[in-house]
Amino acid sequence: MAMRSIAPTILHLCMSGLLLLLPACNGVFSDLYDTPPPEERTATFGFRNHDEATHRGQLYLDVVSYREWTFIDLHRRATVTTPIPTGLTSKWDGRSGWSYHQVTWPDTYEERDVVPADSVPEPEAWDFALHHYDVRTHNGAALATEFTSLDELLAHGDRAELLARPFTGDVDTRHYAYYDLTGIYNYYIGYHHTKVNLLLSEWMDMNVKNPPPTYTLSRRVYLLRLPDGTHAALHFRDYMSPAGAKGYVTIDYVYPY
């Protein structure tokens, strides 16, 4: 997903001084800070429609906030949402927290301030996690397939051939996952320090060349390899609620695949 790298483009557009662009830029930032519509406040999130015979089901997740992680346990079909800590309770590990970068268009990041914080508390068991549209795995790895639906994967995919392909693991990031956008007009953006699976996070791209932004799903089915040797097939089907609010992700899955 391109959302982590589009901030400089947004800033270039919104700071250009062209008054005609101001309404569009306001639209850009309202997209970044969606508030849940009334019907979403009572929605049922988590696993649903799981079929024991086919191992297929669906996840519906509220990942609107940039300051939380939602951890998904495919084995137990459970989810846990955890806030990112805002301070230190013990000695700093030198990695966790967030940092503020002075961003120069199009893609130069100068780290200015680091805010140490505790590492994000993780549940005892989890397989992958979402931070808004960012995705990480629990010591796993991912593969992007050429299929665009689970039906297509199951009907035409050669499982042995797919699983023999190279999978991509997570990487450490310091200017990828948004944390604080309050200084965005001054090109000053806070990013959460975290591991991210860059390939799996490509499930959605946001383009802001002509505001307001446009969102494009990759439509591809991804395979997730777990440390215990099992695999899941994931199809990120939507990023909006039925009411059209962004940050509500629907994932069709097969586990085990």
Side-chain angles (χ1 to χ4, degrees):
M1 172 196 145
M3 177 168 286
R4 279 77 52 180
S5 61
I6 54 80
T9 307
I10 296 176
L11 294 167
H12 178 69
L13 291 167
C14 291
M15 298 291 290
S16 63
L18 298 176
L19 294 178
L20 291 176
L21 283 180
L22 290 178
C25 291
N26 288 336
V28 170
F29 295 118
S30 65
D31 281 335
L32 293 176
Y33 291 102
D34 271 330
T35 53
E39 57 268 36
E40 288 301 337
R41 296 169 193 161
T42 58
T44 300
F45 297 102
F47 285 81
R48 56 189 187 183
N49 304 325
H50 182 80
D51 187 318
E52 290 287 356
T54 63
H55 308 299
R56 295 180 63 166
Q58 189 177 85
L59 273 161
Y60 185 48
L61 304 172
D62 172 357
V63 293
V64 173
S65 175
Y66 289 100
R67 300 196 174 190
E68 296 176 339
W69 277 95
T70 296
F71 296 89
I72 297 101
D73 182 349
L74 291 167
H75 292 75
R76 298 165 183 78
R77 294 198 294 278
T79 64
V80 175
T81 297
T82 304
I84 297 171
T86 58
L88 277 174
T89 58
S90 59
K91 184 178 179 180
W92 186 41
D93 63 10
R95 299 185 306 273
S96 56
W98 64 96
S99 59
Y100 288 89
H101 292 251
Q102 193 67 53
V103 182
T104 303
W105 187 81
D107 57 3
T108 301
Y109 302 85
E110 181 184 348
E111 188 170 278
R112 292 288 183 85
D113 297 298
V114 177
V115 181
D118 292 339
S119 59
V120 178
E122 299 177 0
E124 183 177 350
W126 63 281
D127 298 307
F128 71 104
L130 269 71
H131 166 264
H132 202 62
Y133 300 133
D134 312 313
V135 189
R136 60 181 285 209
T137 74
H138 193 187
N139 301 316
L143 167 74
T145 78
E146 61 271 31
F147 303 106
T148 57
S149 73
L150 292 183
D151 288 338
E152 186 181 2
L153 169 74
L154 296 173
H156 304 291
D158 182 332
R159 184 178 182 278
E161 187 274 329
L162 287 169
L163 298 185
R165 296 180 187 180
F167 280 62
T168 300
D170 296 9
V171 296
D172 287 305
T173 63
R174 291 176 74 94
H175 55 75
Y176 188 82
Y178 285 155
Y179 180 80
D180 183 0
L181 292 169
T182 56
I184 195 168
Y185 284 103
N186 295 318
Y187 299 72
Y188 198 63
I189 303 168
Y191 294 91
H192 173 45
H193 299 173
T194 183
K195 284 185 176 294
V196 173
N197 190 286
L198 298 177
L199 184 143
L200 199 51
S201 298
E202 290 177 355
W203 68 273
M204 201 267 281
D205 175 75
M206 189 170 87
N207 188 312
V208 294
K209 290 181 179 178
N210 296 296
T214 59
Y215 298 81
T216 305
L217 296 169
S218 75
R219 305 292 179 188
R220 301 176 77 174
V221 173
Y222 296 86
L223 299 185
L224 173 63
R225 174 171 290 159
L226 307 179
D228 65 0
T230 60
H231 295 82
L234 305 174
H235 184 223
F236 294 80
R237 192 161 60 85
D238 208 344
Y239 62 95
M240 292 193 298
S241 73
K246 299 171 187 67
Y248 296 91
V249 176
T250 301
I251 306 172
D252 294 331
Y253 69 85
V254 179
Y255 182 75
Y257 167 66

